[in-house]
């Protein structure tokens, strides 16, 4: 799976932090996610985010009754903006959708890193927020697909997959990780039966 021929995207997850100690350099407040695909026929579900208030306000006179602006309507009503969009366009394709929002790009915001005291914090040092993992699972799988996490840690991926109706396999060499993941899964209302298997020695 991993190789230059299967590399699809780099996603930057960026986040803010209130207060904190001043440093003699710019604080590192982003993580890098690398997306790989198994082959050409990979799953990629487009995720969307709401249009910003400034975008809606700027183009509010050009939305039709359905709340969309097609390239055809943009060309007719705002040729200057249309001219700046490079490439051949399907004029009937939707450019802006007031109701469904815009496709998510490779710069992810709006997901805070976990802090002590957060409801989902399990005390695991490398734990990621469910909102972040949910984006990855939603974009790369469909209902009842199989999700594999080879280094499950606190069990976030398995928990998210379970809640989204995916099948899952979670692996880890650490005893604490398996215990944390099991406990977390059992706390999900209506969790489907699962088996904990120790295939060899832990740690």
């Amino acid at each position: 799976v991993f190789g230059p021929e299967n590399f699809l995207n780099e996603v930057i997850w960026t986040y803010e932090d209130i207060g904190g100690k001043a440093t003699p350099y710019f604080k590192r407040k982003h993580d890098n996610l690398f997306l790989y695909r198994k082959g050409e026929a990979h799953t990629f579900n487009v995720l969307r985010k709401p249009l910003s208030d400034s975008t809606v306000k700027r183009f509010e006179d050009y939305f039709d009754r359905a709340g969309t602006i097609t390239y055809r309507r943009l060309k007719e009503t705002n040729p200057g903006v249309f001219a700046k969009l490079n490439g051949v366009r399907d004029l009937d394709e939707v450019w802006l959708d007031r109701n469904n929002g815009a496709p998510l790009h490779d710069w992810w915001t709006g997901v805070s890193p976990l802090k002590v005291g957060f409801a989902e914090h399990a005390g695991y040092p490398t734990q990621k927020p469910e909102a972040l993992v949910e984006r990855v699972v939603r974009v790369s799988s469909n209902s009842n697909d199989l999700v594999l996490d080879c280094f499950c840690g606190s069990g976030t991926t398995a928990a998210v997959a379970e809640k989204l109706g995916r099948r899952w396999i979670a692996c880890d060499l650490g005893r604490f990780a398996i215990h944390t993941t099991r406990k977390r899964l059992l706390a999900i209302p209506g969790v489907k039966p699962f088996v904990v298997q120790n295939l060899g020695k832990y740690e």
Side-chain angles (χ1 to χ4, degrees):
V1 174
F2 300 106
E5 69 280 4
N6 291 325
F7 179 75
L8 184 65
N9 257 126
E10 177 183 12
V11 173
I12 307 298
W13 169 39
T14 180
Y15 39 84
E16 293 288 345
D17 195 8
I18 300 174
K21 182 181 178 181
T23 59
Y25 52 83
F26 291 111
K27 286 191 174 182
R28 302 176 182 94
K29 295 299 175 184
H30 77 274
D31 285 13
N32 302 65
L33 287 72
F34 297 100
L35 276 67
Y36 288 82
R37 59 187 178 185
K38 189 175 181 180
E40 291 295 331
H42 65 285
T43 298
F44 189 91
N45 300 312
V46 176
L47 302 182
R48 294 181 175 273
K49 62 177 182 177
L51 297 180
S52 67
D53 293 339
S54 60
T55 297
V56 172
K57 184 176 181 180
R58 180 183 178 190
F59 296 102
E60 61 184 350
D61 294 335
Y62 307 112
F63 287 101
D64 59 22
R65 291 182 179 179
T68 64
I69 302 176
T70 61
Y71 286 111
R72 184 184 303 278
R73 186 175 181 85
L74 183 65
K75 183 178 182 180
E76 294 170 352
T77 58
N78 201 323
V81 172
F82 180 82
K84 294 178 182 179
L85 302 174
N86 297 323
V88 178
R89 304 283 176 177
D90 176 357
L91 293 182
D92 292 322
E93 183 182 348
V94 174
W95 177 55
L96 289 182
D97 190 328
R98 195 170 189 165
N99 300 312
N100 294 324
L104 199 64
H105 48 57
D106 63 356
W107 188 266
W108 290 3
T109 59
V111 178
S112 299
L114 288 181
K115 303 285 186 181
V116 176
F118 282 28
E120 66 182 84
H121 191 268
Y124 205 88
T126 58
Q127 183 182 353
K128 298 298 183 291
E130 288 192 10
L132 176 69
V133 178
E134 182 178 327
R135 287 187 182 183
V136 176
V137 173
R138 282 189 182 278
V139 77
S140 58
S141 68
N142 297 310
S143 179
N144 207 41
D145 279 354
L146 181 62
V147 175
L148 169 65
D149 188 347
C150 297
F151 311 96
C152 66
S154 64
T156 302
T157 301
V160 168
E162 177 70 25
K163 293 175 182 178
L164 293 179
R166 274 66 164 169
R167 297 173 297 132
W168 50 266
I169 298 174
C171 312
D172 204 287
L173 197 61
R175 184 181 290 108
F176 180 59
I178 298 300
H179 170 74
T180 304
T181 298
R182 174 181 177 276
K183 182 179 179 181
R184 188 169 181 179
L185 287 165
L186 290 174
I188 298 174
V191 63
K192 296 182 180 68
F194 61 90
V195 177
V196 179
Q197 294 181 311
N198 181 355
L199 305 179
K201 293 183 178 180
Y202 284 115
E203 300 171 342

